[in-house]
Structure formats: structure tokens, C-alpha cells
Amino acid sequence: GIFVLGLPYALLHSGYSGLFLIILAAVLCCYTGKILIACLYEENEDGQLIRVRDTYEDIAKACCKKLFPKLGGIVVNVTQMMELIMTCILYLVFSGNLLSHSFPYVPVTEKTWSVIAFVTLLPCVFIKTLKIVSKLSQLCSLVHFIIILVVMTYCLTQIHQWSWEKFRLSIEFEDFLVSVGVIIFSYTSQIFLPTLEGNMKNPGEFRCMLNWTHFFACVLKSAFALTAFLTWGEETKEIISDNLPSFLQTLVNLCLLTKALLSYPLPFFAATEIAYACISRGNHPGYRSPLLALGVRGSLLLLTLLMTMFVPHFALLMGLTGSVTGAAMTFLLPSFFHLKLKWKKLAFLEKCADISVFILGFLCSLAGIACSVKALLEVFG
């Protein structure tokens, strides 16, 4: 994702520990992805695993059915919707920012550029299946590799300037927390995993797929962050493309714009599926009409634009929301649900692993909230 472009900046503030965090985050996110999918299955009388749940919401309902039958599903749905809508808005904000920096001589404001980017996303209201989204995501991955290749190729041409002395051992605590957030949230994908696993031709290969994707992501992110940081050192900027020479910066920015627009359909599709499922639960046939589905998609599309236009200090509010929803969906809920549903079948070490992940997720969320609230208070005086 776009968070990858902030990894060199994260290394600037985390030093050697940042490289360790990139590896640790890959391991933890891969693990929580596996235990989340494990919660979709139960053993039948013959000891075979049967998929008895389909969504994140179903898992939450199963965990809370004795005390609060509906609460678990509501909490998960609200959390997922917040995370997905905020992600969509982030892509719009990012697109407007990229366009304004790529064409500074055009007398157009950043918000107007965001509206122009929004117009290109209008066909998203007609996306009905995950197949279309997967093809767009493939294109997005291709563009992403081009960006990584361009940046790393330039960095390798500057290898004569590299120095390991640029790495720091001492770090500032608040800066380190920012690095933790960037690194962890560059791996998060748990919201999409139940749908993804359910749509695989061979769901039995899911764990293997998760292992390999996280392994390659870890290797790529480590190499990218390391080469970029060694090239620019203390001058490393928040988005690494800003460090590039002007002729490359424009090219990379346009690739980033393409990537942001191609990334939008995945969280948007997931959000519309959740919203439509919540609305169409009644038995009335009108609730399942194509017109209603189109209306839901159109309303959510318009909501992302309105929030992009009118919410002040959106980046800080997104940081606060991400600290809550991101940590919850990635660490807190998967480990809690796994402990709740599988407690009697888990080995002692598995229980210890789940509890450790839960505590880590809680601490990350708490620290992120504290930093975001502090930044908001400073902005609002």
C-alpha cells in the first residue's frame, strides 16, 4: 500500500529497531490473519473442518451470542466501516495532494483536484463482484512494483554515498511510536481476508498464500526502506518520492496517483458489501433489489467526497481513527475471538501467543490514541 512510501521515514525515527519491526509486523499480521480465518471453521462429528461462518461479523456474533447476541456484530461492522471509509477518503486526499504537486502551475486548489480524482472513480458504483476488484488490484500491484523499481534503481545509482553511520541507536519515544504505526499499518489486510478466503478456488491453500505474500512483502519493504534511507539519511522525507529529482518525481507522482485510484475500489467494495448486508437483512424482496444496491454504492461514494471536502484536520482525525480501528481489526479482535472460540482446543503456547498479541495490540492502540489526541489538541490550541 501507499504506507510503504513512508517506511524510509519510519527508519529515520526508529533506527536499527525499525528493520526488526518490519519483520516482526509481517510475522504478527500473518499470524492474526491465520487465526482469524480459523475462527470461520468448526469441526464436525468426523473431525473435519467445516466453514460455518462467512464474515468477520459472523465471528463476532458467535463470540457474543450468550451475553450480547447483536452487540459483537454491530461493533465489528461499525469498526470495519470506519476503517474502510477512512481508507477511501485517504486515497482521495492523497490523489488531490499528488495532483496539486505534479501540476503546481495550474491555478487549482488541492480540494478541487480531489474532486477531479473523484470523477474518475464514479464507475465504482457499478462494481458488483470481487473479480472486477481483483483485476484492478492486479493493475495496482503492477504500478506499485514500477514505483518501487524506479525509486530503488535511483538509490542504487547513489550507492557510493551510502553509510551505515546514518542509522541511529538512540530514538525519541513519540517518533518511535509514529514509526510503529506506519510499519504495522503497511501490512494490515485482516478486514478483507474472510471475503478473500471465501472466494479462493482452493481455500486449503490460504495459509500457504498468506505465508508467501507476507514473506515477499517483508523482503521487499525491508530492501526498499533500507536502500532509500541509506541514500538520503537525515534528509529522508515523509513520502520518499519527495526526495527524488524533479524529472523522476513527476513520473513517480503520476504512478502514485494511478495506484491510489486503483486502490480505491477494494475498500469501497468491502464497505458497500457490509452496508448492503446490514440494510437487506429483512425478508422484504425490495431490500434485495439492484436499485437499492446501486443507491448504497452511490451514497457511500458521495460520503467519501463530502468528508474529504468538509472535515478539517482530516489527516489527524484519520490517525486517531486508525489507531483505534486499525489495531482493533488487526490485533485485538482476531486474538480475542480465537481465544474465545477455540480456548479448549488451543495448546498452552498458542494461548500465550494470542494473549501476547492482544496485549501488544492494546498498547499500540493506546499509544497511537495518545499521540493523535495530543496532536489534535495542539492544532486546536
Side-chain angles (χ1 to χ4, degrees):
I2 289 174
F3 270 119
V4 172
L5 298 171
L7 289 179
Y9 185 74
L11 282 191
L12 172 65
H13 291 296
S14 57
Y16 285 102
S17 60
L19 291 174
F20 172 72
L21 282 173
I22 292 174
I23 298 170
L24 180 63
V27 173
L28 290 178
C29 290
C30 183
Y31 175 74
T32 56
K34 290 177 183 177
I35 62 175
L36 179 67
I37 296 304
C39 293
L40 298 173
Y41 290 83
E42 296 289 349
E43 286 186 1
N44 62 10
E45 296 176 355
D46 300 324
Q48 295 177 321
L49 288 175
I50 305 296
R51 201 177 203 264
V52 296
R53 305 175 188 100
D54 293 318
T55 64
Y56 215 138
E57 181 189 3
D58 293 339
I59 298 171
K61 284 181 176 178
C63 289
C64 303
K65 64 181 179 181
K66 291 184 179 180
L67 295 176
F68 308 102
K70 295 183 179 180
L71 181 62
I74 293 172
V75 169
V76 165
N77 275 338
V78 170
T79 306
Q80 284 187 108
M81 284 297 290
M82 287 175 64
E83 178 83 357
L84 292 166
I85 292 296
M86 288 295 186
T87 303
C88 289
I89 297 167
L90 174 62
Y91 288 132
L92 274 180
V93 172
F94 192 67
S95 298
N97 182 270
L98 284 172
L99 283 167
S100 65
H101 282 83
S102 299
F103 305 103
Y105 45 84
V106 179
V108 173
T109 64
E110 191 172 308
K111 287 188 176 181
T112 306
W113 279 123
S114 293
V115 174
I116 294 170
F118 171 80
V119 171
T120 67
L121 295 169
L122 289 176
C124 287
V125 296
F126 301 108
I127 295 177
K128 298 179 181 179
T129 66
L130 198 62
K131 283 187 177 181
I132 298 173
V133 177
S134 68
K135 292 183 186 301
L136 293 173
S137 294
Q138 280 184 321
L139 289 173
C140 178
S141 298
L142 178 62
V143 174
H144 190 70
F145 277 115
I146 293 172
I147 295 167
I148 297 292
L149 182 63
V150 169
V151 176
M152 289 188 68
T153 300
Y154 176 79
C155 291
L156 290 173
T157 63
Q158 307 297 311
I159 197 169
H160 58 279
Q161 298 180 1
W162 290 9
S163 172
W164 286 94
E165 294 177 0
K166 294 177 181 179
F167 270 100
R168 294 185 301 170
L169 289 174
S170 60
I171 52 176
E172 293 291 333
F173 183 66
E174 285 192 18
D175 291 338
F176 177 73
L177 289 178
V178 172
S179 300
V180 171
V182 171
I183 290 169
I184 288 176
F185 295 128
S186 71
Y187 283 104
T188 55
S189 59
Q190 276 69 8
I191 290 177
F192 311 109
L193 293 184
T195 303
L196 177 62
E197 194 261 358
N199 282 274
M200 288 179 68
K201 288 184 178 179
N202 300 305
E205 296 178 353
F206 177 81
R207 293 174 70 89
C208 180
M209 178 275 293
L210 213 59
N211 287 336
W212 281 109
T213 50
H214 280 77
F215 171 76
F216 284 119
C218 179
V219 171
L220 186 66
K221 288 173 183 181
S222 299
F224 176 73
L226 191 59
T227 54
F229 176 72
L230 288 174
T231 301
W232 287 290
E234 293 291 331
E235 296 178 3
T236 301
K237 296 182 180 178
E238 288 187 45
I239 299 178
I240 201 62
S241 59
D242 291 341
N243 283 103
L244 292 169
S246 57
F247 70 95
L248 280 179
Q249 189 174 342
T250 302
L251 171 64
V252 170
N253 280 349
L254 291 175
C255 287
L256 282 171
L257 173 65
T258 305
K259 175 177 168 50
L261 295 176
L262 289 171
S263 297
Y264 184 97
L266 178 58
F268 176 76
F269 176 80
T272 55
E273 288 291 290
I274 293 169
Y276 185 58
C278 292
I279 293 171
S280 62
R281 281 199 180 115
N283 293 321
H284 194 280
Y287 286 145
R288 295 187 291 274
S289 71
L291 191 61
L292 176 64
L294 190 65
V296 170
R297 290 194 290 269
S299 299
L300 283 176
L301 195 69
L302 188 60
L303 175 65
T304 61
L305 175 66
L306 292 175
M307 289 188 70
T308 302
M309 294 294 101
F310 299 113
V311 177
H313 306 296
F314 187 80
L316 293 177
L317 290 173
M318 184 175 289
L320 177 60
T321 306
S323 296
V324 179
T325 61
M329 301 302 290
T330 305
F331 295 122
L332 293 174
L333 295 181
S335 53
F336 173 75
F337 291 159
H338 195 233
L339 286 168
K340 177 73 174 174
L341 293 174
K342 307 290 183 179
W343 179 265
K344 294 180 181 179
K345 298 177 182 179
L346 294 178
F348 175 74
L349 289 178
E350 290 176 312
K351 292 177 182 178
C352 289
D354 285 355
I355 293 170
S356 299
V357 170
F358 183 87
I359 293 171
L360 181 65
F362 178 77
L363 293 176
C364 284
S365 181
L366 200 62
I369 291 169
C371 289
S372 298
V373 168
K374 182 181 177 183
L376 281 170
L377 290 175
E378 288 175 357
V379 167
F380 287 106

